[in-house]
């Protein structure tokens, strides 16, 4: 944790037993288990912004309220501006933009999500022993997951949807991809353990020490707080996992006692409100500037030097820094406070700690670990740990960053229909940047590190976005 | 620290006096209220032929008790060593533990980037350096402004001179001194206003000069009234010392003369004969209270000793609008802190200059020379363009005045009570806001306007009167600064009173978040909006 009041502190969990229930795993120490795909240490806790915990003596919640009031007033001001210029409230009839092709998108999305449910009978094959996971299972699985990914990419790129529909579709596909991967690999491992246990049990007389330890390990793997391996392979279980805001499959997750419908409504309203804000911001602040920049570039004289293009880039980035920053914060809010909390409430998922306080960090690896915890846990469990068994820590970190960059690049390529590699490049430069940030100087001057972090975010996000759009 | 020479002497007159509050040497209200309300009459029978012609001296204990009670007003605010909120929160140890420090960093960083952007845009789009024309206007008549400002400060020495004369007993405070001070304050204000109008200062200079004048008037008022009260207490104290001497000498004197002196307590309905010892006790008690009143809260300074030029100049520099015999001090000046504050002051001033130049000047210029109806049609769009910068400007100016400038002055004078503002961003009702956002003025209004008027008016009338006075002063300043008598600020400020009743109806104290939301909407439609109104209409 970056701050001094981490998620699992006393004050956070004590008030909320009524709403959040308790987790049986809260007191278990997972550090020393050697098994693969060890379950995550979930605790029943709300997210940071909804947490009612001890702050300093002076409360700054007023400024938080100010932020939302300013955003609301900004929207009103935009309406006034639009009235002045075009006589209508909404400028370019942006909502028409959303309505086209919605049915097509819905059908494609539904089809893709239901592909997840193929894993359920697939895993049944392994639990019944018809196929073995570490034998032919892996090959079949790799081919099918690859086919799934290709299907999504092609469906996305070959359609005539707008960029908003494409981005929704590809992001949802990657999400389903990660869930499917987790579901299959974890259950595959469980099937292996299960059959090993069966095998060892039949030979109970002649067991060596090594075998005895293995037996214990395998048996522990498939049992977790009352949930046992083959019993978890049900359709309901797969359905709940699909809707839970977590990307790592495990047998036991802490649940809250009931669904609070008012909170559900609040999350939904917040999500739609923020999406509306994002639309207005992008329409009023970003699109005019981008259109103007594109016009300048297209109408550039023949002998325009690179300096001209770099200047255009620089000017556009400067104008767009604030809208992009605001959009970033709002997108963060929409995903991690709106959507994640909504799905957690519906599935009664208790651990709402979807992000730590990433705004306080001073190195980029801290940022990567804290701003998006579901994806962090997934990468840690399914990418980093397998690599760590073979390579050194630094290599596996770099490889994990590489995988993450490739996936981000894929998403950007599908959204913009351009293969440019900016995302890959910038994200990989984070690795040497992290090495610099870990030097003693920054570690001693964390505030300075934080300032540099914010500068990088401010410039970086805008730069990458503008590069993709303009060039 | 309190000198221990004044230990409480038990007296049968009131049990409370034996349990004097040892934490403060000043008598509490309950102790003062326990004093007798009567006249002490001392009848001295003459010797010899004039045996039957008594010589009476009467001391009105009741009026003296009322005097002491009225002096409790000067203890309604206690100066304690404390830091202002942002200073407390940004000390390195506490800051690093704060969970949302990243957003604080983001705010200042964004502000910096925004201003740099504005400078860039101004250079490339408007071909001018941002803020330069405005700065030229501000620095016009620079020397005249500071010269007249300095002269104004010198004029305030009149109040000091008056108090010095009162100490030397050339003038008495009650009535003479009071009227002189009142006339002087009126003349002072009038002189300043005339000077401002005569020199036709531009907006920012006018604002600076007028506000400085208001601050000096408040300081002089507080100084004069506090020390005037002290002088009355001192004269009374001296008479009591004489009286006490007489009583005690007549006690020691065991000749016949002793029996010729008799003491009486003359109440409204009856008269009570008392002996010399009891009379002595009564006198001693009141004398002790008077003596304590002449001391500072902390206890190191006694009344006439503080009326020096150095003390007065120090008081003029201290960021407090109420006078106190002794302010809490820090042990030494922290130069690093002072230099940080000075640098912040200049940066924030630059920021404000840039914002005003980029957003407000074009708006003001576009509204010049238009007639009322056109202005009305253009107004919403104009306001939408400058509402945000107006709110940010308001918050920056708040930070500049109350956290940077006042702290800088406090550091220079080693003044320890830095609590210049409370957390007004969390407030739910407007009266709470008024009490929290500007504590020096709040303390002044509470002590010299509200409590003093409470002696004549009842509670709600006194509150209304205080609000009215504050609104009138604000309106007057706006009138001087903008040259337009429009009464927007008077109207909005008086609107706070019914708004307060309304917020009580909606029970905002219980629904804090909702109340805070309304409060912020009010800020957006309040101070900045009023300034925009002044600019536009």
């Amino acid at each position: 944790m970056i701050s001094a009041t981490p998620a699992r502190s006393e004050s956070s969990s004590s008030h909320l037993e009524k709403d959040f229930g308790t987790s049986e795993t809260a007191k278990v120490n997972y550090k020393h288990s050697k098994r693969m795909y060890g379950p995550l240490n979930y605790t029943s806790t709300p997210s940071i912004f909804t947490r009612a915990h001890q702050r300093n003596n002076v409360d700054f919640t007023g400024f938080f309220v100010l932020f939302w009031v300013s955003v609301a007033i900004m929207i009103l001001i935009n309406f006034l501006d639009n009235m002045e210029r075009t006589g209508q409230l909404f400028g370019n009839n942006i909502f028409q933009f959303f309505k086209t092709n919605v049915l097509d998108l819905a059908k494609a999305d539904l089809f893709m999500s239901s592909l997840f449910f193929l894993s359920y009978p697939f895993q049944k094959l392994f639990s019944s022993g018809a196929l073995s996971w570490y034998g032919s299972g892996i090959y079949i699985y790799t081919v099918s997951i690859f086919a799934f990914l290709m299907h999504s990419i092609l469906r996305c790129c070959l359609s005539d949807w707008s960029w908003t529909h494409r981005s929704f579709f590809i992001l949802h596909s990657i999400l389903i991809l990660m869930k499917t991967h987790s579901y299959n690999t974890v259950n595959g491992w469980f099937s292996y353990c299960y059959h090993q246990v069966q095998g060892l049990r039949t030979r109970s007389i002649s067991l060596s020490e090594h075998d005895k330890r293995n037996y214990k390990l395998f048996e522990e793997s498939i049992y977790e707080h009352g949930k046992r391996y083959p019993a978890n392979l049900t359709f309901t279980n797969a359905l709940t996992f699909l809707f839970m805001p977590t990307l790592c499959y495990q047998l036991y997750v802490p649940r809250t006692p009931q669904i609070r419908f008012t909170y559900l409504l609040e999350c939904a309203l917040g999500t739609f409100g923020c999406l509306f804000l994002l639309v207005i911001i992008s329409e009023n602040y970003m699109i005019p500037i981008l259109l103007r920049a594109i016009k300048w570039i297209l109408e550039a004289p023949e002998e325009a030097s690179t300096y001209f293009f770099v200047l255009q880039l620089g000017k556009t980035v400067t104008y767009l820094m604030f809208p992009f920053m605001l959009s970033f914060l709002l997108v963060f809010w929409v995903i991690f406070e709106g959507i994640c909390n909504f799905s957690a409430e519906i599935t009664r998922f208790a651990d709402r700690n979807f992000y730590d306080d990433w705004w306080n960090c001073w190195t980029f690896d801290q940022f990567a670990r804290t701003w998006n915890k579901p994806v962090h846990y997934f990468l840690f469990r399914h990418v980093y740990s397998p690599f760590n068994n073979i390579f050194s820590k630094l290599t596996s970190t770099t490889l994990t960053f590489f995988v993450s960059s490739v996936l981000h690049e894929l998403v950007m390529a599908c959204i913009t229909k351009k293969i440019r590699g900016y995302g890959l490049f910038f994200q990989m430069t984070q690795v040497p940047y992290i090495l610099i940030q870990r030097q003693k100087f920054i570690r001693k001057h964390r505030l300075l590190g934080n300032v540099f972090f914010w500068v990088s975010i401010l410039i970086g996000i805008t730069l990458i976005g503008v590069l993709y759009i303009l060039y | 620290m309190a000198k221990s020479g004044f230990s409480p002497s038990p007296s049968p007159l009131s049990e409370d006096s034996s349990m004097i509050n040892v934490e403060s040497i000043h008598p509490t209200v309950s102790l003062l209220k326990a004093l007798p309300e009567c006249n002490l009459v001392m009848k001295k029978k003459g010797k010899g032929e004039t045996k039957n012609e008594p010589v009476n001296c009467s001391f009105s204990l009741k009026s003296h008790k009322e005097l002491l009670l009225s002096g409790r007003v000067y203890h309604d605010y206690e100066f304690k060593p404390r830091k202002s909120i942002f200073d407390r929160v940004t000390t390195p140890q506490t800051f690093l533990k704060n969970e949302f420090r990243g957003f604080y960093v983001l705010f200042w960083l964004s502000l910096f980037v925004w201003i740099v952007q504005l400078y860039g845009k101004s250079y490339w789009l408007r071909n001018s350096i941002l803020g330069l024309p405005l700065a030229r206007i501000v620095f016009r008549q620079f020397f005249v402004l500071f010269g007249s400002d300095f002269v104004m400060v010198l004029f305030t020495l009149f109040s000091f001179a008056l108090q010095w004369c009162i100490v030397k007993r050339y003038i008495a405070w009650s009535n003479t001194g009071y009227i002189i001070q009142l006339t002087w304050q009126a003349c002072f204000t009038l002189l300043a206003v005339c000077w401002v109008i005569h020199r036709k200062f531009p907006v920012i200079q006018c604002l600076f000069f007028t506000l400085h004048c208001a601050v000096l008037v408040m300081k002089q008022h507080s100084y004069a009234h506090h020390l005037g009260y002290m002088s009355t207490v001192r004269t009374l104290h001296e008479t009591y010392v004489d009286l006490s001497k007489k009583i005690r000498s007549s006690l020691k004197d065991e000749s016949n003369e002793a029996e010729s002196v008799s003491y009486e307590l003359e109440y409204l309905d009856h008269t009570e004969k008392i002996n010399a010892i009891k009379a002595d006790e009564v006198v001693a008690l009141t004398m002790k209270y008077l003596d304590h009143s002449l001391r500072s809260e902390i206890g190191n300074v006694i009344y006439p000793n503080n009326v020096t030029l150095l003390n007065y100049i120090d008081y003029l520099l201290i960021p407090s609008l109420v006078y106190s015999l002794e302010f809490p001090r820090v042990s030494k000046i922290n130069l690093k802190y002072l230099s940080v504050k000075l640098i912040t002051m200049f940066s924030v001033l630059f920021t404000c200059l840039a914002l005003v130049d980029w957003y407000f000047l074009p708006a003001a210029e576009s509204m010049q020379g238009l007639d009322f109806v056109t202005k009305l049609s253009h107004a919403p769009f104009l306001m939408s363009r400058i509402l945000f910068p107006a709110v940010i400007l308001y918050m920056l100016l708040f930070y500049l005045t109350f956290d940077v400038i006042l702290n800088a002055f406090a550091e220079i004078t080693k003044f320890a009570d830095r609590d210049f503002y409370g957390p007004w961003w969390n407030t739910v009702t407007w009266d709470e806001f008024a009490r929290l956002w500007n504590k020096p003025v709040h303390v002044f209004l509470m002590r010299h306007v509200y409590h003093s008027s409470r002696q004549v008016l009842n509670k709600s009338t006194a509150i209304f009167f205080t609000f009215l006075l504050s609104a009138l002063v604000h309106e007057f300043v706006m009138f001087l600064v903008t040259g337009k008598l429009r009464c927007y600020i008077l109207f909005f400020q008086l609107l706070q009173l019914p708004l307060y009743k309304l917020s009580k109806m909606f029970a905002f104290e219980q629904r804090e978040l909702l109340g805070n939301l309304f409060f912020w909407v009010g800020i957006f439609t309040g101070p900045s909006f009023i300034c925009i109104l002044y600019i536009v209409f």
Side-chain angles (χ1 to χ4, degrees):
Chain A
M1 308 305 146
I2 299 172
S3 81
T5 53
R8 298 172 192 110
S9 60
E10 292 301 315
S11 39
S12 66
S13 38
S14 51
H15 310 285
L16 302 141
E17 304 249 331
K18 181 168 103 44
D19 279 337
F20 283 88
T22 46
S23 159
E24 296 166 21
T25 57
K27 295 190 179 64
V28 177
N29 187 348
Y30 281 109
K31 282 197 191 126
H32 302 295
S33 71
K34 276 172 169 275
R35 18 193 243 205
M36 273 182 45
Y37 306 123
L40 297 164
N41 190 3
Y42 283 132
T43 28
S44 311
T45 171
S47 57
I48 291 185
F49 279 106
T50 41
R51 215 179 281 165
H53 68 149
Q54 266 206 317
R55 297 213 171 102
N56 284 334
N57 302 340
V58 182
D59 199 7
F60 286 98
T61 29
F63 286 113
F64 182 66
V65 177
L66 172 65
F67 172 73
W68 292 109
V69 171
S70 336
V71 175
I73 290 197
M74 194 174 70
I75 303 300
L76 283 173
I77 288 178
N78 272 317
F79 286 163
L80 276 176
D81 257 345
N82 284 332
M83 287 283 280
E84 183 182 16
R85 265 181 293 131
T86 62
Q88 302 172 7
L89 278 185
F90 281 117
N92 289 329
N93 231 346
I94 193 159
F95 293 105
Q96 210 55 37
F97 186 62
F98 278 121
K99 275 197 241 162
T100 53
N101 283 330
V102 160
L103 211 57
D104 199 28
L105 174 68
K107 280 194 281 193
D109 193 56
L110 212 58
F111 176 67
M112 182 214 37
S113 317
S114 51
L115 286 178
F116 170 76
F117 292 110
L118 285 179
S119 341
Y120 160 61
F122 186 56
Q123 287 299 321
K124 274 279 198 217
L125 285 174
F126 297 108
S127 74
S128 61
L131 291 173
S132 108
W133 176 253
Y134 285 113
S136 45
I138 294 237
Y139 296 118
I140 307 178
Y141 169 68
T142 321
V143 171
S144 36
I145 209 90
F146 192 67
F148 174 81
L149 189 61
M150 286 319 292
H151 158 260
S152 299
I153 297 176
L154 288 173
R155 187 79 176 84
C156 190
C157 295
L158 296 179
S159 69
D160 56 351
W161 299 335
S162 59
W163 68 271
T164 44
H165 297 303
R166 284 205 302 269
S167 68
F168 172 75
F169 185 74
I170 193 71
L171 283 172
H172 201 197
S173 315
I174 304 269
L175 207 72
I176 303 279
L177 177 83
M178 291 196 272
K179 285 204 195 219
T180 322
H181 179 75
S182 184
Y183 187 80
N184 281 301
T185 36
V186 170
N187 277 315
W189 159 253
F190 284 166
S191 75
Y192 172 72
C193 296
Y194 181 63
H195 290 297
Q196 290 292 316
V197 160
Q198 305 274 35
L200 285 174
R201 231 183 251 159
T202 49
R203 308 189 286 123
S204 58
I205 310 134
S206 55
L207 280 181
S208 61
E209 266 309 307
H210 177 77
D211 279 339
K212 280 211 182 90
R213 261 184 282 130
N214 274 351
Y215 179 77
K216 194 159 179 293
L217 178 71
F218 291 143
E219 197 167 38
E220 271 173 10
S221 297
I222 57 176
Y223 174 78
E224 207 184 310
H225 295 278
K227 316 277 185 196
R228 191 167 267 290
Y229 166 60
N232 71 318
L233 286 181
T234 61
F235 182 73
T236 334
N237 182 280
L239 187 68
T240 329
F241 174 63
L242 183 64
F243 282 106
M244 270 188 191
T246 174
L247 296 171
C248 296
Y249 184 76
Q250 56 189 56
L251 289 169
Y252 167 77
V253 286
R255 312 293 286 270
T256 65
Q258 61 189 36
I259 304 181
R260 295 172 290 167
F261 284 104
T262 39
Y263 184 65
L264 213 55
L265 194 65
E266 186 189 318
C267 283
L269 281 176
T271 310
F272 282 110
C274 282
L275 282 173
F276 176 70
L277 293 175
L278 279 168
V279 167
I280 303 273
I281 289 174
S282 73
E283 198 208 324
N284 284 296
Y285 291 110
M286 301 207 258
I287 292 188
I289 297 178
L290 286 168
L291 285 177
R292 201 173 44 183
I294 292 177
K295 197 166 78 96
W296 277 337
I297 291 174
L298 288 179
E299 293 173 356
E302 285 299 318
E303 63 279 359
S305 59
T306 30
Y307 171 70
F308 175 76
F309 291 109
V310 168
L311 191 65
Q312 292 306 320
L313 181 70
K315 275 206 255 183
T316 322
V317 167
T318 333
Y319 292 147
L320 288 179
M321 255 196 279
F322 285 109
F324 261 95
M325 189 72 228
L326 193 57
S327 308
F328 171 65
L329 290 175
L330 283 175
V331 163
F332 167 78
W333 185 268
V334 163
I335 300 178
F336 294 103
E337 270 285 323
I339 297 181
C340 281
N341 268 320
F342 183 84
S343 49
E345 194 66 33
I346 279 207
T347 53
R348 291 190 297 122
F349 183 74
D351 186 330
R352 311 287 170 92
N353 197 32
F354 303 120
Y355 53 91
D356 281 331
D357 50 344
W358 55 270
W359 46 83
N360 292 333
C361 71
W362 57 90
T363 63
F364 266 104
D365 62 319
Q366 270 177 344
F367 175 68
R369 267 182 281 133
T370 50
W371 93 286
N372 185 343
K373 294 202 92 149
V375 168
H376 164 62
Y377 287 143
F378 175 83
L379 286 175
F380 180 80
R381 230 222 238 170
H382 293 281
V383 180
Y384 179 79
S385 301
F387 281 144
N388 209 11
N389 289 335
I390 314 172
F391 304 113
S392 74
K393 218 168 145 188
L394 182 63
T395 324
S396 22
T397 316
T398 320
L399 284 171
T400 317
F401 257 90
F402 183 70
V403 169
S404 168
S405 327
V406 165
L407 282 174
H408 279 91
E409 184 61 42
L410 185 70
V411 168
M412 288 308 285
C414 285
I415 294 176
T416 56
K417 286 199 185 165
K418 298 175 187 174
I419 300 181
R420 292 282 191 281
Y422 301 127
L424 187 68
F425 173 69
F426 279 101
Q427 208 163 343
M428 287 320 287
T429 54
Q430 277 181 10
V431 178
Y433 195 11
I434 291 172
L435 288 174
I436 299 174
Q437 282 172 324
R438 277 176 169 265
Q439 294 309 311
K440 252 203 227 153
F441 177 70
I442 295 281
R443 264 197 282 196
K444 264 184 18 176
H445 299 102
R446 289 188 185 172
L447 190 60
L448 195 65
N450 193 222
V451 173
F452 283 140
F453 160 74
W454 276 117
V455 171
S456 318
I457 291 262
L458 205 56
I459 297 181
I461 292 185
T462 323
L463 190 63
I464 298 175
V466 170
L467 275 173
Y468 268 109
I469 297 175
L470 291 185
Y471 298 118
Chain B
M1 309 304 136
K3 298 258 189 321
S4 55
F6 297 88
S7 48
S9 51
S11 157
L13 272 179
S14 80
E15 273 91 340
D16 282 343
S17 60
S18 59
M19 302 184 308
I20 280 185
N21 188 4
V22 290
E23 276 152 11
S24 155
I25 56 170
H26 290 274
T28 57
V29 175
S30 51
L31 287 178
L32 290 176
K33 284 199 174 148
L35 285 176
E37 285 184 12
C38 51
N39 292 342
L40 174 67
V41 182
M42 194 169 94
K43 291 188 178 157
K44 195 167 180 187
K45 301 197 187 97
K47 291 194 298 188
E49 299 87 46
T50 51
K51 222 185 215 177
N52 292 322
E53 286 173 27
V55 177
N56 287 0
C57 307
S58 173
F59 297 93
S60 167
L61 293 179
K62 180 167 188 228
S63 62
H64 301 161
K65 167 178 170 177
E66 276 165 10
L67 182 74
L68 276 171
L69 272 173
S70 72
R72 285 298 305 169
V73 154
Y74 296 107
H75 300 296
D76 59 2
Y77 178 75
E78 197 187 328
F79 287 99
K80 284 186 240 182
R82 41 197 164 187
K83 283 189 175 182
S84 57
I85 292 183
F86 282 115
D87 270 352
R88 244 186 287 151
V89 166
T90 51
T91 54
Q93 306 93 307
T94 32
F95 188 65
L96 287 175
K97 289 202 209 105
N98 189 336
E99 213 181 19
F100 293 105
R101 59 191 186 272
F103 286 118
Y104 184 75
V105 170
L106 178 63
F107 170 72
W108 286 110
L109 188 66
S110 325
L111 200 65
F112 175 71
V113 170
W114 185 21
I115 299 304
V116 166
Q117 263 192 20
L118 287 183
Y119 273 104
K121 273 201 240 186
S122 157
Y123 184 67
W124 273 301
L125 292 181
R126 290 191 193 170
N127 279 328
S128 69
I129 299 181
L130 195 66
L132 204 57
L134 194 64
R136 280 208 204 102
I137 297 177
V138 167
F139 283 103
R140 204 184 292 164
Q141 305 194 48
F142 180 79
F143 291 110
V144 174
L145 177 72
F146 277 94
S148 41
D149 194 59
F150 187 65
V151 166
M152 184 167 70
V153 171
L154 283 180
F155 274 3
T156 59
L157 288 174
F158 180 88
S159 311
F160 165 71
L162 180 68
Q163 291 302 318
W164 185 80
C165 294
I166 291 178
V167 165
K168 296 280 185 220
R169 297 172 222 274
Y170 301 145
I171 314 174
W173 171 253
S174 352
N175 294 336
T176 323
Y178 182 84
I179 290 178
I180 294 180
Q181 176 69 23
L182 199 63
T183 0
W184 167 246
Q185 273 173 214
C187 289
F188 182 84
T189 324
L190 206 63
L191 266 174
V193 168
C194 289
W195 182 252
V196 165
I197 295 180
H198 165 71
R199 291 300 312 197
K200 293 198 192 358
F201 283 137
V203 171
I204 296 181
Q205 277 99 308
C206 189
L207 192 68
F208 170 75
F209 195 77
T210 321
L211 286 179
H212 199 194
C213 169
V215 161
L216 287 173
V217 167
M218 288 195 268
K219 282 205 190 219
Q220 288 177 77
H221 182 93
S222 182
Y223 187 73
H225 283 255
H226 199 160
L227 291 183
Y229 171 75
M230 291 271 156
S231 70
T232 33
V233 168
R234 187 177 64 146
T235 32
L236 195 63
H237 184 248
E238 279 159 5
T239 24
Y240 265 76
V241 166
D242 284 337
L243 183 61
S244 173
K245 275 200 207 125
K246 273 194 229 161
I247 297 179
R248 287 199 178 146
S249 63
S250 70
L251 269 176
K252 285 194 202 128
D253 192 8
E254 287 169 3
S255 65
N256 284 348
E257 296 219 6
E259 288 152 11
S260 65
V261 183
S262 69
Y263 304 93
E264 276 176 8
L265 289 177
E266 200 180 285
Y267 290 92
L268 273 177
D269 42 357
H270 66 282
T271 322
E272 191 183 312
K273 255 188 151 14
I274 52 172
N275 62 358
I277 296 179
K278 218 171 174 193
D280 184 51
E281 276 172 4
V282 174
V283 168
L285 187 66
T286 319
M287 194 170 84
K288 185 182 69 183
Y289 290 163
L290 288 170
D291 195 51
H292 286 187
S293 294
L294 289 175
R295 283 183 163 255
S296 59
E297 289 261 356
I298 302 174
N300 293 331
V301 174
I302 309 180
Y303 165 55
N305 302 338
N306 68 315
V307 183
T308 58
L309 189 63
L310 205 63
N311 174 283
Y312 184 69
I313 292 177
D314 177 64
Y315 167 62
L316 283 182
L317 284 174
I318 279 182
S320 159
L321 293 172
V322 299
Y323 184 73
S324 167
L325 287 168
E326 190 179 356
F327 294 104
R329 308 274 173 164
V330 253
S331 47
K332 58 183 169 70
I333 299 181
N334 187 344
L335 278 174
K336 186 164 155 229
Y337 176 80
L338 189 62
S339 47
V340 165
K341 286 292 175 195
L342 286 174
I343 294 175
T344 323
M345 180 172 86
F346 284 113
S347 340
V348 175
L349 277 174
F350 264 113
T351 314
C352 293
L353 195 73
L355 283 177
V356 167
D357 198 15
W358 183 261
Y359 291 106
F360 293 91
L361 280 190
E365 271 159 32
S366 72
M367 280 285 146
Q368 289 219 12
L370 296 177
D371 65 87
F372 183 71
V373 179
T374 341
K375 273 195 198 176
L376 203 59
S377 60
H378 282 230
F381 310 116
L382 184 88
M383 287 196 201
S384 69
R385 272 198 288 278
I386 53 180
L387 191 62
F388 254 109
V391 172
I392 302 238
L393 195 68
Y394 174 72
M395 294 209 287
L396 280 176
L397 285 173
F398 162 79
Y399 178 71
L400 179 71
T401 330
F402 292 98
D403 200 68
V404 178
I405 293 184
L406 290 189
N407 265 317
F409 272 109
E411 193 65 31
I412 293 175
T413 53
K414 297 198 273 185
F415 182 66
D417 187 358
R418 314 272 174 101
D419 196 24
F420 304 122
Y421 55 90
W424 54 266
W425 44 83
N426 290 337
T427 53
V428 168
T429 53
W430 281 96
D431 66 317
E432 203 185 335
F433 173 72
R435 268 179 279 136
L436 287 180
W437 91 285
N438 187 343
K439 281 201 174 161
V441 168
H442 164 65
V443 171
F444 175 85
L445 285 175
M446 184 168 71
R447 185 182 281 194
H448 291 282
V449 179
Y450 176 70
H451 279 140
S452 307
S453 57
R454 277 286 276 140
Q455 290 165 0
V456 187
L457 308 166
N458 70 339
K459 194 168 178 193
S460 41
T461 327
I463 293 179
F464 176 71
F465 177 64
T466 315
F467 256 95
L468 187 69
L469 192 71
S470 167
L472 283 172
V473 171
H474 279 91
E475 181 61 43
F476 186 63
V477 168
M478 287 306 275
F479 167 59
L480 275 182
V481 166
T482 58
K484 307 176 187 174
L485 185 65
R486 295 278 193 278
C487 297
Y488 300 128
I489 203 170
L490 181 68
F491 173 68
F492 272 85
Q493 230 174 312
L494 286 180
L495 199 64
Q496 284 177 11
L497 287 165
L499 269 180
Y500 172 65
K501 290 280 181 326
L502 203 75
S503 66
K504 271 202 134 108
M505 223 167 64
F506 285 123
F508 278 147
E509 277 102 347
Q510 280 95 50
R511 301 193 205 134
E512 270 190 32
L513 200 60
L514 197 64
N516 195 218
L517 193 77
F518 273 90
F519 162 73
W520 275 112
V521 173
I523 286 274
F524 269 91
T525 55
S528 346
F529 186 69
I530 294 173
C531 289
I532 296 174
L533 277 176
Y534 273 102
I535 295 174
V536 173
F537 290 112

